[in-house]
């Protein structure tokens, strides 16, 4: 059975896919996380719950390439704008 976090992440992934980004859900142990890449695959994000906070990790390239920063957001819905804006940098 899918957790509420996983369902919320899947909703964001579906919206990103509809905007021509690459996105999927994977797991870090038992924690679901959203991994997404821009169209040129040079900007990426990891988004997950860390402890009780919702954290977006911004990367240049694939994760483990160049970590840029992280941002704590109050809700899953609030994460969509910053994530899609970061990934849109690939189109520039």
């Amino acid at each position: 059975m899918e957790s509420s976090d996983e369902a919320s992440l899947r909703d964001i992934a579906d919206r990103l896919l509809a905007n021509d980004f690459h996105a999927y859900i994977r797991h870090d142990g038992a924690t679901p996380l959203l991994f997404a890449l821009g169209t040129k695959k040079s900007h990426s994000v990891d988004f997950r719950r860390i402890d009780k906070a919702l954290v977006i990790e911004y990367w240049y390239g694939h994760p483990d390439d160049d970590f840029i920063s992280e941002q704590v957001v109050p809700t899953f819905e609030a994460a969509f704008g910053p994530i899609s804006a970061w990934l849109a940098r690939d189109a520039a």
Side-chain angles (χ1 to χ4, degrees):
M1 186 164 122
E2 190 172 68
S3 70
S4 64
D5 280 6
E6 191 164 352
S8 296
L9 292 171
R10 189 162 313 286
D11 177 61
I12 293 169
D14 290 344
R15 291 169 60 195
L16 291 170
L17 288 166
N19 286 301
D20 296 325
F21 298 122
H22 308 277
Y24 60 91
I25 307 303
R26 61 184 189 189
H27 287 82
D28 181 10
T31 304
L33 68 98
L34 168 76
F35 173 72
L37 285 162
T39 55
K40 294 181 183 175
K41 299 182 181 179
S42 63
H43 290 78
S44 63
V45 297
D46 277 342
F47 176 49
R48 70 183 125 199
R49 187 179 300 278
I50 298 176
D51 296 321
K52 294 186 180 196
L54 294 172
V55 179
I56 305 168
E57 295 177 341
Y58 299 96
W59 297 84
Y60 185 75
H62 288 76
D64 300 329
D65 286 350
D66 293 319
F67 176 74
I68 303 300
S69 65
E70 71 180 29
Q71 176 183 6
V72 175
V73 292
T75 64
F76 285 97
E77 185 59 35
F80 183 77
I83 289 172
S84 58
W86 178 253
L87 299 177
R89 291 177 179 215
D90 271 7

